[in-house]
Amino acid sequence: MGTISHAIAAKVLLPHLPSNRSDGFACPSSRLLRSNLSRTATRTRVFAKVKNQSSEIDFSDPDWKSKFQKDFERRFNIPHLTDIFEDSVPIPSTFCLKMRTPVIEDFAGGYPSDEEWHGYINNNDRVLLKTINYSSSTSAGAECIDPNCTWVEQWVHRAGPREKIYFKPEEVKAAIVTCGGLCPGLNDVIRQIVITLEIYGVKKIVGIPYGYRGFSDKELAEMPLSRRVVQNVHLSGGSLLGVSRGGPTISEIVDSMEERGINMLFVLGGNGTHAGANAIHNECRKRRLKVAVVGVPKTIDNDILLMDKTFGFDTAVEEAQRAINSAYIEAHSAYHGIGIVKLMGRSSGFIAMHASLASGQIDICLIPEVPFQLHGPHGVLQHLKYLIETKGSAVICVAEGAGQDLLEKTNATDASGNAVLGDIGVHIQQEIKKYFREIGIPADSKHIDPTYMIRAVRANASDGILCTVLGQNAVHGAFAGYSGITVGICNTHYVYLPIPEVISYPRLVDPNSRMWHRCLTSTGQPDFF
């Protein structure tokens, strides 16, 4: 597995800086001033950490930049069938606007624009991974490779239909599998994969029920799919195919694929699911099977590296507004009311941060990336007391993975190997009740956990569009002969990325980023450390 871009690592590994504030509350401007004063020292540590991770980069070498770019190009080169089957002969693509059927006699000879249609993507097309040229390592959210913040171009492969394809549609049996938990937009992606496959001319399309489990459980029959079957599935939430965690071994999965004659596999899931997809891809290569394995990143937490966002995230943020508004009404309708909303986010606080920004009703936002204390002169409870005394009520938004250091460890894991988290929302509510009872101030706290309500809804318009394009581009990538890749959106453009480069660790909120600073400005909260 290749290493992740050093520039990305610099951002993700940025530690949280505790405040030296002596008072119980600080305005955003004073907090940002302290952040600016401490950033330079922090960045020095980050550079050292990056350098240790990548000993091959010698910044004293005048050619380090070109060497870095060559290494980046090597790592982000996406696997192709011709890497194994060198004699593979491509054929003209069957995906073309000429295939449209004229609806009136005026166009019986074909649409006028067909002959000049330039709808294919050149294999050499690239998308720029980073668009900001940071002039200083002290700039908010700066992603720097070297201490001087040198601008280094980093290009990734553009997604879309190619003029030549490496599979004959009549010989394709495509399978779709959805793994992990539910997420808004799963049915939208399934629908578009099926529709696009049929446009290419594929007749054999199946769904594997209940995640990877469906490859080994003899009681679970594959589901035949067609446009007729999936036509309206996007109108409801959940997954047409069902989901589950865990499953059989990689060898058993590939054995099952061979028995079924599957030579295109589309995998919808998060980091763990993509790790499985990459292992399936490698096993198929090891057995010299002409199979394309393509992932579509599905995580409601928006925690996949290198991508602008993943599908389901916008819907989650929008749906979270309902819970936040309910908590706000409960808090402001009660005497000394405190509303607590726990949102998804095992290791990344994107949903909590964006939901707090969108609602404008949050006083305290707590995320996994930023440590906090409940007790003490700078703790959350002290600030809550301040809010109750000045505003009369307060609303807290907390990500499920936040404050796990405050809870008792169980060491339990789920079927996917994820640590079972303690309930930080319930813990905060209990500590609030205990604290205000001890100081003799009445407080009425309400805890809302809308997790499963949010996961189960249908995708909104924004996610619907994203799912549509991701599903289409997944099929284009498979027919183009690529395997071991995932499709995503990067700087508003759709790209193909090698799976190992996006699954090493979760994408995290950078506490030094402008977006987190905006959230702090919106809530007016101090540093709780």
Side-chain angles (χ1 to χ4, degrees), residues 5 72-73 75-78 121-130 153-159 162 306-307 486 488-491 493-498 501-502:
S5 162
F72 183 89
E73 184 177 352
R75 290 188 293 110
F76 281 80
N77 182 46
I78 52 181
I121 300 297
N122 190 293
N123 285 334
N124 295 320
D125 283 359
R126 297 290 185 271
V127 173
L128 193 61
L129 184 63
K130 300 180 185 304
E153 293 182 356
Q154 299 170 64
W155 301 94
V156 293
H157 292 249
R158 186 183 177 199
R162 268 53 177 179
L306 308 176
M307 300 180 185
T486 191
I489 183 169
C490 177
N491 289 324
H493 296 280
Y494 293 87
V495 300
Y496 294 134
L497 298 165
E501 292 296 334
V502 300

Side-chain angles (χ1 to χ4, degrees), residues 345-361:
R346 294 185 58 85
S347 56
S348 304
F350 288 103
I351 293 180
M353 177 176 68
H354 282 256
S356 296
L357 272 169
S359 71
Q361 297 172 316

Side-chain angles (χ1 to χ4, degrees), residues 221-232:
E222 61 187 29
M223 178 187 299
L225 298 176
S226 65
R227 182 167 193 147
R228 192 170 191 171
V229 173
V230 303
Q231 185 61 45
N232 295 314

Side-chain angles (χ1 to χ4, degrees), residues 28 356-358 360-363 517-525:
S356 296
L357 272 169
Q361 297 172 316
I362 298 297
D363 298 294
H517 289 173
R518 291 170 185 136
C519 185
L520 296 178
T521 302
S522 175
T523 63
Q525 70 191 63

Side-chain angles (χ1 to χ4, degrees), residues 6 8 22 89 94 104 127 139 148 169 236 347 355 374 426 467 474 476:
H6 314 297
I8 296 294
S22 59
V89 178
T94 54
I104 56 176
V127 173
S139 294
N148 295 323
S236 61
S347 56
L374 286 178
V426 170
C467 292
H476 294 321

Side-chain angles (χ1 to χ4, degrees), residues 227-262:
R227 182 167 193 147
R228 192 170 191 171
V229 173
V230 303
Q231 185 61 45
N232 295 314
V233 295
H234 63 301
L235 301 180
S236 61
S239 170
L240 172 69
L241 306 177
V243 295
S244 70
R245 300 186 185 277
T249 65
I250 297 301
S251 181
E252 290 173 334
I253 291 174
V254 177
D255 286 345
S256 177
M257 290 173 62
E258 281 196 87
E259 292 174 7
R260 301 168 189 242
I262 295 170

Side-chain angles (χ1 to χ4, degrees), residues 34-105:
R34 288 194 308 276
S35 299
N36 285 329
L37 292 174
S38 59
R39 239 176 245 145
T40 302
T42 304
R43 287 295 172 183
T44 302
R45 292 197 296 274
V46 171
F47 294 140
K49 198 173 280 189
V50 171
K51 206 168 184 179
N52 291 336
Q53 283 186 331
S54 184
S55 58
E56 73 274 9
I57 294 185
D58 179 8
F59 293 123
S60 64
D61 183 351
D63 297 324
W64 75 264
K65 181 176 176 180
S66 61
K67 291 179 179 178
F68 176 87
Q69 287 177 316
K70 289 180 180 178
D71 179 63
F72 183 89
E73 184 177 352
R74 174 189 60 80
R75 290 188 293 110
F76 281 80
N77 182 46
I78 52 181
H80 195 272
L81 291 177
T82 53
D83 298 339
I84 302 298
F85 304 97
E86 298 178 359
D87 58 347
S88 294
V89 178
I91 62 174
S93 177
T94 54
F95 180 85
C96 179
L97 288 184
K98 291 182 180 180
M99 295 180 64
R100 294 180 303 173
T101 303
V103 293
I104 56 176
E105 292 185 4

Side-chain angles (χ1 to χ4, degrees), residues 28 46 71 119 181 187 193 248 266 291 294 329 369 413 478 486 508:
V46 171
D71 179 63
N187 284 334
I193 289 175
F266 299 96
V291 176
V294 178
I329 292 173
E369 295 88 341
T413 58
T486 191
L508 306 176

